[in-house]
């Protein structure tokens, strides 16, 4: 478990108990430099509220949007983000590299 995972799971339980749709995004693979390690989590509800981090950058916005689709559809998704060093700052992966994020609905 990573620091903060217990708090994320408690937040997930509160959102689920309140009747909200919830998805969990997890960094499952990295290559090169990445701001967050494998196993990092981002929790998202169907109101667009989120907690945690999978990248610390602009990738989070896309992950939140995709997580809301996963909540609506109920189908997990694997997301791949990769950039050249020249585009790294533009997309929020400040050191280049790639990350793979698995997004799953929680019930």
């Amino acid at each position: 478990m990573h620091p903060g995972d217990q708090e994320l799971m408690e937040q997930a339980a509160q959102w689920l108990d309140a009747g909200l749709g919830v998805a969990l995004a997890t960094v499952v693979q990295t290559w090169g430099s990445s701001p967050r390690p494998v196993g990092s989590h981002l929790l998202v509800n169907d109101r667009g509220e989120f907690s945690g981090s999978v990248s610390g950058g602009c990738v989070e916005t896309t992950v939140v949007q995709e997580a809301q689709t996963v909540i609506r559809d109920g189908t997990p998704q694997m997301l791949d983000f990769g950039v050249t060093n020249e585009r790294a700052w533009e997309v929020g992966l400040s050191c280049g590299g790639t990350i793979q994020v698995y997004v799953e609905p929680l019930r």
Side-chain angles (χ1 to χ4, degrees), residues 3-106:
D5 283 353
Q6 180 65 35
E7 290 82 11
L8 284 179
M9 293 306 106
E10 290 171 4
Q11 180 68 69
Q14 290 174 4
W15 285 345
L16 289 168
D17 287 347
L20 297 172
V22 181
L24 180 67
T26 304
V27 176
V28 293
Q29 188 171 22
T30 65
W31 182 87
S33 181
S34 67
R36 303 285 295 161
V38 169
S40 296
H41 297 293
L42 178 70
L43 188 66
V44 180
N45 72 26
D46 55 3
R47 294 191 298 205
E49 298 168 325
F50 61 94
S51 183
S53 177
V54 291
S55 74
C58 295
V59 169
E60 239 97 14
T61 301
T62 301
V63 173
V64 168
Q65 292 169 343
E66 293 300 325
Q68 290 181 305
T69 299
V70 167
I71 292 168
R72 279 192 304 274
D73 297 347
T75 304
Q77 288 189 35
M78 187 69 76
L79 308 175
D80 292 297
F81 300 95
V83 295
T84 63
N85 287 337
E86 293 77 25
R87 293 199 60 226
W89 285 102
E90 181 182 325
V91 299
L93 291 172
S94 58
C95 300
T98 63
I99 63 171
Q100 193 171 46
V101 179
Y102 183 71
V103 184
E104 60 188 319
L106 297 182

